[in-house]
Coordinates of all heavy atoms in Angstrom, one line a residue:
A1 N -66.7 -65.7 -62.8 CA -66.8 -66.5 -64.0 C -67.8 -65.8 -64.9 O -68.8 -65.2 -64.5 CB -67.3 -67.9 -63.6
L2 N -67.5 -65.8 -66.2 CA -68.3 -65.1 -67.1 C -69.1 -66.1 -68.0 O -68.5 -67.1 -68.5 CB -67.5 -64.2 -68.1 CG -66.6 -63.1 -67.4 CD1 -65.6 -62.5 -68.4 CD2 -67.5 -62.1 -66.7
D3 N -70.4 -65.8 -68.1 CA -71.2 -66.7 -68.9 C -70.8 -66.4 -70.4 O -70.3 -65.5 -70.8 CB -72.7 -66.4 -68.7 CG -73.0 -65.0 -69.1 OD1 -73.4 -64.8 -70.2 OD2 -73.0 -64.1 -68.2
P4 N -71.3 -67.4 -71.3 CA -70.9 -67.2 -72.7 C -71.4 -65.9 -73.4 O -70.7 -65.4 -74.2 CB -71.5 -68.4 -73.4 CG -71.6 -69.5 -72.3 CD -71.9 -68.7 -71.0
F5 N -72.6 -65.5 -73.1 CA -73.2 -64.3 -73.6 C -72.3 -63.1 -73.2 O -71.9 -62.3 -74.1 CB -74.6 -64.1 -73.2 CG -75.2 -62.8 -73.6 CD1 -75.7 -62.7 -74.9 CD2 -75.3 -61.7 -72.8 CE1 -76.3 -61.5 -75.4 CE2 -75.8 -60.5 -73.3 CZ -76.3 -60.4 -74.6
T6 N -72.0 -62.9 -72.0 CA -71.2 -61.8 -71.5 C -69.8 -61.9 -72.0 O -69.3 -60.8 -72.4 CB -71.2 -61.8 -69.9 OG1 -72.6 -61.7 -69.4 CG2 -70.4 -60.6 -69.4
L7 N -69.3 -63.1 -72.1 CA -67.9 -63.2 -72.6 C -67.8 -62.8 -74.1 O -66.9 -62.0 -74.5 CB -67.5 -64.7 -72.5 CG -66.0 -64.9 -72.8 CD1 -65.1 -64.1 -71.9 CD2 -65.8 -66.5 -72.6
A8 N -68.8 -63.1 -74.9 CA -68.9 -62.7 -76.3 C -69.0 -61.2 -76.4 O -68.3 -60.6 -77.2 CB -70.0 -63.4 -77.0
A9 N -69.9 -60.6 -75.5 CA -70.0 -59.1 -75.6 C -68.8 -58.5 -75.2 O -68.3 -57.5 -75.8 CB -71.2 -58.7 -74.7
L10 N -68.0 -59.0 -74.2 CA -66.8 -58.4 -73.7 C -65.7 -58.5 -74.8 O -64.9 -57.6 -75.0 CB -66.3 -59.0 -72.4 CG -67.1 -58.5 -71.2 CD1 -66.8 -59.2 -69.9 CD2 -66.9 -56.9 -71.0
K11 N -65.7 -59.6 -75.5 CA -64.7 -59.8 -76.6 C -64.9 -58.7 -77.7 O -63.9 -58.1 -78.1 CB -64.8 -61.2 -77.2 CG -64.2 -62.3 -76.4 CD -64.4 -63.6 -77.1 CE -63.8 -64.7 -76.2 NZ -63.9 -66.0 -76.8
M12 N -66.2 -58.4 -78.0 CA -66.4 -57.4 -79.0 C -66.0 -56.0 -78.4 O -65.5 -55.2 -79.1 CB -67.9 -57.4 -79.4 CG -68.3 -58.6 -80.3 SD -70.0 -58.5 -80.9 CE -71.0 -58.3 -79.5
H13 N -66.3 -55.8 -77.1 CA -66.0 -54.6 -76.5 C -64.5 -54.3 -76.5 O -64.0 -53.2 -76.8 CB -66.5 -54.5 -75.1 CG -66.2 -53.4 -74.3 ND1 -66.8 -52.1 -74.6 CD2 -65.4 -53.2 -73.2 CE1 -66.3 -51.2 -73.7 NE2 -65.4 -51.8 -72.9
V14 N -63.7 -55.3 -76.2 CA -62.2 -55.2 -76.2 C -61.7 -54.9 -77.5 O -60.8 -54.1 -77.7 CB -61.6 -56.5 -75.6 CG1 -60.1 -56.5 -75.8 CG2 -61.9 -56.6 -74.1
D15 N -62.3 -55.6 -78.6 CA -61.9 -55.3 -80.0 C -62.1 -53.8 -80.2 O -61.3 -53.1 -80.9 CB -62.7 -56.1 -80.9 CG -62.2 -57.6 -80.9 OD1 -61.2 -57.9 -80.4 OD2 -63.0 -58.4 -81.4
K16 N -63.3 -53.3 -79.8 CA -63.6 -51.8 -80.0 C -62.6 -50.9 -79.3 O -62.2 -49.9 -79.8 CB -65.1 -51.6 -79.5 CG -65.5 -50.2 -79.7 CD -65.8 -49.9 -81.1 CE -66.4 -48.5 -81.3 NZ -66.4 -48.0 -82.7
L17 N -62.2 -51.3 -78.0 CA -61.2 -50.5 -77.3 C -59.9 -50.5 -78.0 O -59.3 -49.5 -78.1 CB -61.0 -51.1 -75.9 CG -62.1 -51.0 -74.9 CD1 -61.8 -51.8 -73.6 CD2 -62.4 -49.6 -74.6
D18 N -59.5 -51.6 -78.6 CA -58.2 -51.7 -79.4 C -58.3 -50.8 -80.6 O -57.4 -50.1 -80.9 CB -58.0 -53.2 -79.8 CG -57.6 -54.1 -78.7 OD1 -57.2 -53.5 -77.6 OD2 -57.7 -55.3 -78.8
Q19 N -59.5 -50.8 -81.3 CA -59.7 -50.0 -82.5 C -59.6 -48.5 -82.1 O -58.9 -47.7 -82.8 CB -61.0 -50.3 -83.1 CG -61.3 -49.4 -84.3 CD -62.8 -49.6 -84.8 OE1 -63.5 -50.6 -84.4 NE2 -63.2 -48.8 -85.7
E20 N -60.2 -48.1 -81.0 CA -60.2 -46.7 -80.6 C -58.8 -46.3 -80.2 O -58.3 -45.2 -80.6 CB -61.1 -46.5 -79.4 CG -62.6 -46.7 -79.7 CD -63.5 -46.7 -78.5 OE1 -63.0 -46.9 -77.4 OE2 -64.7 -46.6 -78.8
Q21 N -58.0 -47.2 -79.6 CA -56.6 -46.9 -79.2 C -55.7 -46.7 -80.4 O -54.9 -45.8 -80.5 CB -56.1 -47.9 -78.3 CG -54.7 -47.6 -77.7 CD -54.3 -48.5 -76.6 OE1 -54.9 -49.5 -76.3 NE2 -53.2 -48.1 -75.9
R22 N -56.0 -47.6 -81.4 CA -55.2 -47.5 -82.7 C -55.5 -46.1 -83.4 O -54.6 -45.5 -83.9 CB -55.5 -48.6 -83.6 CG -54.8 -49.9 -83.3 CD -54.9 -51.0 -84.4 NE -56.3 -51.2 -84.8 CZ -57.1 -52.1 -84.1 NH1 -56.6 -52.8 -83.1 NH2 -58.3 -52.4 -84.6
E23 N -56.9 -45.8 -83.5 CA -57.2 -44.6 -84.2 C -56.8 -43.3 -83.5 O -56.4 -42.4 -84.2 CB -58.8 -44.6 -84.3 CG -59.3 -45.6 -85.3 CD -60.8 -45.7 -85.3 OE1 -61.5 -44.9 -84.6 OE2 -61.4 -46.5 -86.1
L24 N -56.7 -43.3 -82.2 CA -56.3 -42.0 -81.5 C -54.8 -42.0 -81.4 O -54.3 -41.0 -81.1 CB -57.0 -42.0 -80.2 CG -58.5 -41.5 -80.3 CD1 -59.1 -41.6 -78.9 CD2 -58.6 -40.1 -80.9
G25 N -54.2 -43.2 -81.4 CA -52.7 -43.2 -81.2 C -52.2 -42.5 -80.0 O -52.7 -42.8 -78.8
P26 N -51.3 -41.5 -80.1 CA -50.8 -40.8 -78.9 C -51.8 -40.0 -78.1 O -51.6 -39.6 -77.0 CB -49.7 -39.9 -79.4 CG -49.9 -39.8 -80.9 CD -50.7 -41.0 -81.3
D27 N -53.0 -39.7 -78.7 CA -54.0 -38.9 -78.0 C -54.9 -39.8 -77.1 O -55.8 -39.3 -76.5 CB -54.9 -38.2 -79.0 CG -54.1 -37.1 -79.7 OD1 -53.2 -36.5 -79.1 OD2 -54.4 -36.9 -80.9
Y28 N -54.6 -41.1 -77.2 CA -55.4 -42.1 -76.3 C -54.8 -42.0 -74.9 O -53.6 -42.1 -74.7 CB -55.3 -43.5 -76.9 CG -56.2 -44.4 -76.3 CD1 -57.6 -44.5 -76.7 CD2 -55.8 -45.3 -75.3 CE1 -58.4 -45.4 -76.1 CE2 -56.7 -46.2 -74.7 CZ -57.9 -46.3 -75.0 OH -58.8 -47.2 -74.5
H29 N -55.7 -41.8 -74.0 CA -55.3 -41.8 -72.5 C -55.6 -43.1 -71.9 O -56.7 -43.3 -71.3 CB -56.1 -40.7 -71.8 CG -56.0 -39.3 -72.4 ND1 -54.9 -38.5 -72.2 CD2 -56.8 -38.7 -73.3 CE1 -55.1 -37.4 -73.0 NE2 -56.2 -37.5 -73.6
D30 N -54.6 -44.0 -71.9 CA -54.9 -45.4 -71.4 C -54.8 -45.4 -69.9 O -53.7 -45.3 -69.3 CB -53.8 -46.4 -72.1 CG -54.2 -47.8 -71.7 OD1 -55.2 -48.0 -71.1 OD2 -53.4 -48.7 -72.2
H31 N -55.9 -45.6 -69.3 CA -56.0 -45.7 -67.8 C -56.2 -47.1 -67.4 O -56.2 -47.4 -66.2 CB -57.2 -44.9 -67.2 CG -56.9 -43.4 -67.3 ND1 -56.4 -42.7 -66.3 CD2 -57.1 -42.5 -68.4 CE1 -56.3 -41.4 -66.7 NE2 -56.7 -41.3 -67.9
G32 N -56.2 -48.0 -68.4 CA -56.3 -49.5 -68.1 C -57.7 -49.9 -67.7 O -57.9 -51.1 -67.3
V33 N -58.7 -49.1 -67.7 CA -60.0 -49.5 -67.3 C -60.7 -50.2 -68.4 O -60.5 -49.9 -69.6 CB -60.9 -48.3 -66.8 CG1 -60.3 -47.8 -65.4 CG2 -61.0 -47.2 -67.8
L34 N -61.6 -51.1 -68.1 CA -62.4 -51.9 -69.1 C -63.4 -51.0 -69.7 O -63.8 -51.2 -70.9 CB -62.9 -53.1 -68.4 CG -63.6 -54.2 -69.3 CD1 -62.7 -54.6 -70.4 CD2 -64.1 -55.3 -68.5
F35 N -64.0 -50.1 -69.0 CA -65.1 -49.2 -69.5 C -64.6 -47.8 -69.5 O -64.3 -47.3 -68.4 CB -66.4 -49.4 -68.7 CG -66.8 -50.9 -68.7 CD1 -66.6 -51.6 -67.5 CD2 -67.4 -51.5 -69.8 CE1 -67.0 -53.0 -67.5 CE2 -67.7 -52.8 -69.8 CZ -67.6 -53.6 -68.6
S36 N -64.5 -47.2 -70.7 CA -63.9 -45.9 -70.8 C -64.6 -45.1 -72.0 O -65.4 -45.7 -72.7 CB -62.4 -46.0 -71.1 OG -62.2 -46.6 -72.4
W37 N -64.3 -43.9 -72.0 CA -64.7 -43.1 -73.2 C -63.8 -43.4 -74.3 O -62.9 -44.2 -74.2 CB -64.4 -41.6 -72.9 CG -65.4 -41.0 -71.8 CD1 -65.0 -40.6 -70.5 CD2 -66.7 -40.8 -71.8 NE1 -66.0 -40.2 -69.8 CE2 -67.2 -40.3 -70.7 CE3 -67.7 -41.0 -72.8 CZ2 -68.5 -40.0 -70.4 CZ3 -69.0 -40.7 -72.6 CH2 -69.4 -40.2 -71.4
E38 N -64.2 -43.0 -75.5 CA -63.4 -43.4 -76.8 C -62.0 -43.0 -76.7 O -61.1 -43.6 -77.3 CB -64.1 -42.7 -78.0 CG -65.5 -43.2 -78.3 CD -66.6 -42.4 -77.5 OE1 -66.3 -41.6 -76.6 OE2 -67.7 -42.8 -77.7

């Protein structure tokens, strides 16, 4: 279970992952991990 603080931080993190994936397009290496390089 995630506390509200951690949940909010992870929501921002996921948004950042989505942004990085959009920006890199086909050069993005999606390994499905939650914590990754850009």
Side-chain angles (χ1 to χ4, degrees):
L2 301 172
D3 62 87
F5 176 82
T6 302
L7 189 58
L10 285 172
K11 283 180 181 178
M12 289 189 306
H13 178 68
V14 167
D15 288 344
K16 182 71 172 167
L17 290 176
D18 289 341
Q19 178 186 348
E20 291 167 351
Q21 188 168 10
R22 280 191 306 274
E23 289 174 1
L24 285 175
D27 293 329
Y28 189 82
H29 305 280
D30 190 0
H31 289 265
V33 293
L34 187 56
F35 304 107
S36 64
W37 294 110
E38 293 84 359

